[in-house]
Amino acid sequence: LAMSHVVSSCMGSVGMAAQQIVLAIFEALCPVADSLSLTAQSFVPALHHQADASVEGASVMAKTTKNFLKASAIFGAAMVGVVGCIPFMSGAFTTDAFVAAQVNSVVPLLAGVFAMHGAIMASEGVLLGRRDLNFLGSMYGIYFALVPALMLRLKRACHVGGKAIQVQSVWQIFLGYQVSRTLLWVGRSWWLTKRSKSIASSKN
């Protein structure tokens, strides 16, 4: 919502049209990696109960987490490949050269977003499967306040400082959001894996 608000408040018709195209592509590709989260949520709960009980259970949990992250790399590569084709398909989205140019300018950022999206969804599914809800709830609470605040700073820079805002500006913030989630989610998943091994070892 904050992204759409900034775009509608600070950009002209060209920028708004480009944002609609980029957002449509983003929403079309997101479900590809979202399936990793749903799959992890189906498999991980049963393993989670065994992870702290025995070394073998902890090892299975670690292997499962690793396999989901491997799968996420494949999904990420596939989505980046699709994003890389956008400049060659711009004519299918718009006949306006200026709109196409702005859409193409976002391609590197969108590629970065989707390069990490698979890992985010896979690790989030693992965390949900392991019932690490306090961590996820706390982090999303922070993001709920932080990301809109950063987006609204662009609006302030546009209206108060007279700074020109492009479509890339909002997607740069979103890319930073993806980077932070990747580091935190994947790091948290591996930390839980190591903790399970430590707990299981102490019991045996």
Side-chain angles (χ1 to χ4, degrees), residues 90-137:
S90 296
F93 302 121
T94 179
T95 56
D96 190 302
F98 294 104
V99 174
Q102 286 217 30
V103 171
N104 293 341
S105 70
V106 183
V107 167
L109 298 172
L110 204 58
V113 166
F114 281 113
M116 294 174 279
H117 191 60
I120 292 168
M121 289 295 98
S123 54
E124 185 169 288
V126 170
L127 293 175
L128 287 170
R130 301 199 68 164
R131 299 295 186 266
D132 197 14
L133 304 182
N134 287 336
F135 170 77
L136 289 172

Side-chain angles (χ1 to χ4, degrees), residues 26-128:
F26 174 79
E27 291 176 348
L29 289 177
C30 271
V32 175
D34 290 352
S35 60
L36 286 170
S37 178
L38 296 174
T39 305
Q41 290 176 59
S42 299
F43 283 96
V44 170
L47 301 175
H48 170 59
H49 296 297
Q50 304 171 17
D52 294 343
S54 66
V55 174
E56 181 181 3
S59 297
V60 172
M61 185 72 253
K63 184 177 180 180
T64 301
T65 300
K66 186 177 181 180
N67 287 339
F68 272 110
L69 291 175
K70 284 181 179 179
S72 75
I74 297 172
F75 277 63
M79 290 184 290
V80 169
V82 173
V83 171
C85 295
I86 291 175
F88 306 104
M89 301 186 298
S90 296
F93 302 121
T94 179
T95 56
D96 190 302
F98 294 104
V99 174
Q102 286 217 30
V103 171
N104 293 341
S105 70
V106 183
V107 167
L109 298 172
L110 204 58
V113 166
F114 281 113
M116 294 174 279
H117 191 60
I120 292 168
M121 289 295 98
S123 54
E124 185 169 288
V126 170
L127 293 175
L128 287 170

Side-chain angles (χ1 to χ4, degrees), residues 105-175:
S105 70
V106 183
V107 167
L109 298 172
L110 204 58
V113 166
F114 281 113
M116 294 174 279
H117 191 60
I120 292 168
M121 289 295 98
S123 54
E124 185 169 288
V126 170
L127 293 175
L128 287 170
R130 301 199 68 164
R131 299 295 186 266
D132 197 14
L133 304 182
N134 287 336
F135 170 77
L136 289 172
S138 298
M139 292 311 306
Y140 274 122
I142 294 171
Y143 284 133
F144 183 78
L146 181 60
V147 175
L150 292 174
M151 291 287 183
L152 292 175
R153 282 187 64 188
L154 292 177
K155 179 182 177 181
R156 177 179 172 81
C158 176
H159 291 302
V160 178
K163 181 181 177 182
I165 302 298
Q166 302 293 328
V167 178
Q168 305 99 292
S169 302
V170 293
W171 286 97
Q172 285 171 351
I173 293 175
F174 194 83
L175 178 61

